[in-house]
Amino acid sequence: DVKVTQSSRYLVKRTGEKVFLECVQDMDHENMFWYRQDPGLGLRLIYFSYDVKMKEKGDIPEGYSVSREKKERFSLILESASTNQTSMYLCASSLRVEYIQPQHFGDGTRLSIL
Amino acid sequence: QKEVEQNSGPLSVPEGAIASLNCTYSDRVSQSFFWYRQYSGKSPELIMSIYSNGDKEDGRFTAQLNKASQYVSLLIRDSQPSDSATYLCAVFTGGGNKLTFGTGTQLKVEL
């Protein structure tokens, strides 16, 4: 079974803080993704990476950055947290860049910015 | 027009009935389609994938794809209370290398 692990289930931070969300997968997947999920808006792609040190912007990259120094680890960084970044953050991975490969999700991090 | 559309529900069905969940998509070149189940407060879990027109069955679940009509559906037979969840439709467009999700349909299976 694919295992995608997110470092925290719940996180509370203050406005202006730099926030790090970590994600690790154990299946040697090439692709990793960060989404946020908000009621009524569904899952929205923030960033994805198809290789170490490679990254691509998703639909809503503003206010976020990412880092992928090792194949198994993909970090999402909120440079200066704001209240509108309060959300559920979901990390996912997939085997290769092919259309038949589904994405597998971690348990999610519910982030609150006060 | 949204790229992937689902009725938000809730869709209520009695226990033992067939639940039918529907999804339409806008990109004609979409190549693969996935159904995820998401329990409240949990992350999405992959339950079905389908790539060619027709039906694909896996246990109580059947995915149906009609590319001409740009329509994909999920049937759940013998619905159980444990099937109560939000079902997300996801469509992969190869040109964009992106999986686009619908906002999900909430299913409630009532005793």
Side-chain angles (χ1 to χ4, degrees), chain B residues 1-2 7 24 26 40 45 60 87 90 93 103 108 110:
Chain B
Q1 181 187 6
K2 291 182 181 178
N7 188 320
T24 58
S26 60
S40 180
E45 172 193 11
R60 295 187 296 113
Y87 290 81
T93 54
T103 53
K108 293 185 176 181
E110 298 168 333

Side-chain angles (χ1 to χ4, degrees), chain A residues 40-98:
Chain A
L41 298 177
L43 279 157
R44 293 181 291 168
L45 182 64
I46 304 171
Y47 268 97
F48 67 99
S49 168
Y50 51 86
D51 201 354
V52 175
K53 296 191 184 294
M54 305 299 288
K55 62 184 179 184
E56 294 281 343
K57 292 181 180 179
D59 298 320
I60 51 164
E62 297 77 20
Y64 303 94
S65 62
V66 289
S67 173
R68 194 169 181 197
E69 296 295 320
K70 294 184 178 181
K71 190 174 185 179
E72 67 270 18
R73 186 180 296 271
F74 193 35
S75 303
L76 179 70
I77 304 155
L78 285 66
E79 297 290 344
S80 177
S82 63
T83 55
N84 62 13
Q85 294 177 309
T86 291
S87 186
M88 168 73 96
Y89 288 87
L90 290 158
C91 176
S93 71
S94 67
L95 182 58
R96 286 186 297 273
V97 183
E98 291 178 7

Side-chain angles (χ1 to χ4, degrees), chain B residues 41-67:
Chain B
K42 302 294 186 182
S43 63
E45 172 193 11
L46 179 70
I47 54 172
M48 288 286 286
S49 58
I50 187 166
Y51 310 108
S52 54
N53 281 328
D55 295 359
K56 179 182 177 182
E57 188 174 316
D58 184 0
R60 295 187 296 113
F61 298 100
T62 299
Q64 299 175 318
L65 175 60
N66 184 327
K67 289 187 178 181

